[in-house]
Amino acid sequence: MPRRNVTLVIVATLLLSGAVDERPADGGSDGGAAPLGITALTHSLDTRPRRVAVAPFDGDAHPDVLVLTSRTTVTESDQLLMLSGQGDGAFAAGFDYEVAPPESPIGVNPAFGDVDGDSDLDILLCNSPYFGNGTRLNDGQGDFNTWMSWNFFGGAATDVVLFDRDGDDDLDVFFVEIDLGPYVCLGEGNGNGLFTALGFNFFSGGDSASQVAAGELNGDDSPDLGVASQGGISLAMTVAGAPVGVAFTEILDGGFRDLAFGDVTGDGLVDVVATSPLTHQVVVIPATAVGVFGAPVWHTVGRRPTMMVLADLDGDTVLDVACTNEGDASVSLLLSDGAGSFEPFAKHAVGRSPLDIAVGDLDGDGDLDLVTSSGLDRTLSVLLNGTVP
């Protein structure tokens, strides 16, 4: 696919206090004072950004931002756009690739990882009816022109994650598709960018499954799986090398959007964290022992939280939570106190109806920054962290 240059316009706005100028929210909370000395930068695009990821895709030491865009008219295409990080929070113009043409009824969902063993990050794309499902291989300099097709399902994937299922150092794929099921699907990585189908399991957690997660929960050195849906949060404890027939068990009823695994309580155990748009909350299901979970703890954030990341934002070695609030154009920060709770949350203004969030050290100062996407405003909002590591 030919590459095309992308024009990038940058507008900078400084927020010293982190105060948010927003419409009154129907639900959620206004939050407290900003704890991280956030500086906000707005990057304007000529298309609608949807999914974002941060990593050094072009082989230098500076994290880049990869953006999956949505078409703006019926004659346009979905694009994959890379913005080359300069190490100071600014980006150089990158390239874009067509990933879903105008005639395609739905877009694609990405995952990122080294799937061909050459130590750079590649892009796995699910749910592209025109190009099929496959991988764009990175040449080590941010060129993703090589396409590897691995079509082994025909449904509509809502989310996809890469993980090493069997300990062979080749990344495998786990995704949930709702068009034919819902089904959870596993693919075995072949180490060259291609995947072989392992199987499709019917998922009983509802036909609105939205996000998947993979991580070690029960201490057996085999990544476990999770699915968030409008029906609840379901987990499957897997065994390394076991067949695909893993059983999912619902651990919490309710409607959820995003899901992640990580130690946010500071006790060394892996917790389950999810966003609940209808209740305007983030829920933490704390691990009380390895693979054993206690009662959920609910934390009010902004209006309609959707996507989130877990990262150590304040430098205390304990994971914190940052989530986008679709209903009030903001990001909420829940900073862990390291003792099982969180400091009063703070909100920062971003573009309207933020669709995704990613984390990385974009300005090279040693702490982690945030970037969100706004399709309505056609902007990326970068929140530069002022924490001294």
Side-chain angles (χ1 to χ4, degrees):
M1 180 71 59
R3 299 181 301 177
R4 294 179 293 168
N5 287 325
V6 176
T7 301
L8 180 65
V9 179
I10 300 178
V11 180
T13 304
L14 180 64
L15 294 183
L16 294 177
S17 66
V20 177
D21 180 14
E22 63 186 26
R23 295 175 298 276
D26 179 15
S29 173
D30 289 336
L36 299 180
I38 294 291
T39 298
L41 303 176
T42 300
H43 298 264
S44 297
L45 305 177
D46 58 4
T47 187
R48 295 178 178 175
R50 182 163 58 93
R51 302 295 297 270
V52 291
V54 173
F57 290 102
D58 61 5
D60 63 17
H62 306 312
D64 310 302
V65 176
L66 203 68
V67 185
L68 184 65
T69 72
S70 296
R71 66 205 70 183
T72 57
T73 71
V74 294
T75 61
E76 293 182 352
S77 307
D78 287 356
Q79 304 290 329
L80 192 64
L81 165 68
M82 193 192 77
L83 306 179
S84 180
Q86 303 301 292
D88 57 0
F91 302 96
F95 300 98
D96 70 8
Y97 302 88
E98 183 182 59
V99 293
E103 61 269 25
S104 172
I106 46 180
V108 298
N109 286 306
F112 310 95
D114 179 15
V115 297
D116 58 357
D118 63 356
S119 301
D120 53 37
L121 292 177
D122 310 297
I123 307 165
L124 184 147
L125 295 168
C126 275
N127 202 36
S128 175
Y130 180 76
F131 287 106
N133 306 287
T135 309
R136 284 199 175 276
L137 297 180
N138 190 346
D139 70 350
Q141 298 179 336
D143 188 325
F144 300 93
N145 211 33
T146 301
W147 173 255
M148 304 282 286
S149 179
W150 47 268
N151 283 330
F152 58 68
F153 80 106
T158 59
D159 192 33
V160 57
V161 66
L162 289 166
F163 71 111
D164 184 7
R165 168 182 171 270
D166 49 9
D168 63 356
D169 295 326
D170 292 330
L171 291 178
D172 309 306
V173 60
F174 168 53
F175 54 89
V176 59
E177 67 88 8
I178 61 173
D179 199 31
L180 304 177
Y183 287 92
V184 290
C185 313
L186 282 172
E188 176 78 11
N190 298 332
N192 60 359
L194 297 176
F195 297 84
T196 301
L198 290 177
F200 304 81
N201 280 2
F202 181 75
F203 175 67
S204 61
D207 60 2
S208 56
S210 58
Q211 296 294 119
V212 296
E216 174 54 50
L217 296 176
N218 61 359
D220 65 354
D221 295 324
S222 173
D224 306 300
L225 306 176
V227 179
S229 74
Q230 289 303 309
I233 298 171
S234 299
L235 301 179
M237 301 299 183
T238 64
V239 177
V244 68
V246 293
F248 280 82
T249 301
E250 185 176 281
I251 63 170
L252 185 61
D253 187 30
F256 300 95
R257 179 65 177 89
D258 200 5
L259 179 69
F261 302 153
D263 179 15
V264 296
T265 56
D267 59 2
L269 300 172
V270 180
D271 311 303
V272 176
V273 187
T275 55
S276 174
L278 294 180
T279 67
H280 315 294
Q281 292 177 305
V282 166
V283 62
V284 175
I285 308 174
T288 57
V290 176
V292 180
F293 299 95
V297 181
W298 297 84
H299 303 272
T300 297
V301 288
R303 186 183 177 192
R304 294 202 306 274
T306 51
M307 307 305 290
M308 68 176 173
V309 292
L310 306 184
D312 180 15
L313 298 173
D314 55 5
D316 65 354
T317 73
V318 181
L319 295 178
D320 309 300
V321 181
C323 68
T324 57
N325 301 309
E326 186 180 68
D328 59 19
S330 70
V331 165
S332 289
L333 303 180
L334 287 170
L335 301 183
S336 176
D337 65 2
S341 188
F342 293 93
E343 302 293 337
F345 85 91
K347 285 202 301 187
H348 297 274
V350 294
R352 291 179 298 166
S353 190
L355 298 174
D356 202 9
I357 186 170
V359 63
D361 184 7
L362 297 174
D363 55 3
D365 65 354
D367 51 31
L368 294 175
D369 312 303
L370 300 168
V371 58
T372 68
S373 59
S374 170
L376 285 179
D377 290 342
R378 303 188 185 187
T379 59
L380 300 178
S381 296
V382 176
L383 303 180
L384 297 179
N385 191 344
T387 300
V388 177

